């Protein structure tokens, strides 16, 4: 049974969506506490998210960006905002579709079925899962996981992208400019310290699977996988 997480602060709308999802055979969960949406996302591991834009504390755009750091599950925005720019913002921030309120439940269900088919069903890619391996290290880009021997750790999307570049380039250097372009190509300017922070996180993920010193800094050039184990 596929799971749908409803992130909607209007309880009547959330209940309405929930009743339809249950009616059509989905496992539906709707949130009541919006202080940390990602805690619930990690707990539930949904197959699809229905996401409102106007939420307490942080808006739906923010939470969609957080989801996209860790998951490629479909996200459908549902909002009373009808402007074209709102729809553009929803898609630019990682959303897969946009439905305006008031909505017809059958339209919502059709879009849910469509996104689930594209992500997991008959329209999904039939190619085998990609696995990148070097020296016993295994990266699962679609799962966002790093494995070595009997240990596995979860990755953010950017951590997975950096490790993918290191594995693909090994034993060559992954240049700083190349990494910046790959990870933040939608931004005109990114502080180089942002890359440093992400490299530090990647090093900690390698350490978590028992590989200290896995990322070597090549002064003036970039970073290289350091196979020392």
């Amino acid at each position: 049974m596929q799971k749908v997480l409803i992130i909607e602060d209007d309880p009547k709308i959330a209940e309405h969506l929930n009743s339809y999802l249950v009616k059509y055979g989905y496992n539906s969960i709707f949130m009541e506490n919006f202080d940390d949406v990602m805690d619930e996302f990690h707990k539930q591991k949904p197959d699809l998210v229905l996401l409102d834009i106007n939420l307490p504390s942080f808006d739906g755009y923010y939470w969609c960006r957080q989801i996209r750091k860790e998951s490629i599950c479909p996200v459908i925005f549902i909002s009373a905002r009808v402007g074209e720019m709102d729809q553009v913002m929803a898609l630019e921030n990682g959303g897969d579709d946009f439905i305006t309120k008031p909505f017809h439940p059958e339209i919502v269900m059709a879009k849910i079925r469509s996104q689930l088919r594209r992500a997991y069903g008959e329209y999904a890619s039939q190619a085998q899962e990609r696995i990148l391996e070097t020296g016993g290290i295994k990266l699962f880009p679609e799962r966002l996981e790093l494995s070595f021997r009997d240990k596995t750790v979860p990755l953010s999307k950017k951590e997975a992208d950096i490790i993918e570049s290191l594995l693909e380039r090994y034993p060559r250097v992954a240049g700083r400019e190349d990494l910046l372009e790959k990870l933040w190509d939608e931004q005109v300017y990114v502080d180089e310290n942002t890359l440093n922070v992400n490299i530090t996180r990647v090093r900690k993920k390698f350490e978590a699977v028992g590989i200290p010193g896995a990322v070597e800094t090549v002064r003036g050039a970039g970073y290289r996988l350091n196979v020392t184990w």
Side-chain angles (χ1 to χ4, degrees), residues 15-118:
E15 287 279 7
H16 190 44
L17 289 167
N18 179 70
S19 65
Y20 261 85
L21 285 162
V22 171
K23 175 183 175 181
Y24 282 91
Y26 294 100
N27 182 3
S28 174
I29 300 97
F30 59 92
M31 296 187 60
E32 297 179 352
N33 183 354
F34 301 90
D35 291 339
D36 195 339
V37 168
M38 293 308 294
D39 279 351
E40 190 69 15
F41 182 84
H42 293 146
K43 177 182 176 182
Q44 299 298 340
K45 296 180 173 59
D47 297 296
L48 181 143
V49 174
L50 294 176
L51 179 61
D52 190 16
I53 294 177
N54 295 324
L55 295 170
S57 301
F58 297 98
D59 63 22
Y61 300 141
Y62 171 83
W63 290 120
C64 191
R65 291 196 302 273
Q66 304 315 302
I67 290 171
R68 281 292 170 260
K69 290 179 180 179
E70 305 181 18
S71 173
I72 57 174
C73 84
V75 176
I76 300 176
F77 277 91
I78 297 182
S79 176
R81 300 186 185 182
V82 296
E84 291 182 359
M85 187 51 64
D86 293 306
Q87 298 187 41
V88 169
M89 287 286 291
L91 298 175
E92 289 291 336
N93 281 277
D96 297 285
D97 207 339
F98 191 99
I99 301 172
T100 57
K101 302 175 186 176
F103 53 80
H104 194 290
E106 294 295 342
I107 297 295
V108 178
M109 297 310 303
K111 287 181 176 285
I112 288 173
R113 288 192 293 269
S114 175
Q115 290 297 332
L116 289 172
R117 283 198 304 268
R118 290 179 184 279

Side-chain angles (χ1 to χ4, degrees), residues 134-140 146-153 206 208-211 229:
T134 297
I137 296 172
K138 290 184 179 180
L139 171 68
F140 301 88
L146 176 70
S147 294
F148 181 67
R149 294 176 181 165
D150 60 343
K151 295 182 179 179
T152 299
V153 294
F206 276 114
V209 294
I211 309 176
W229 55 94

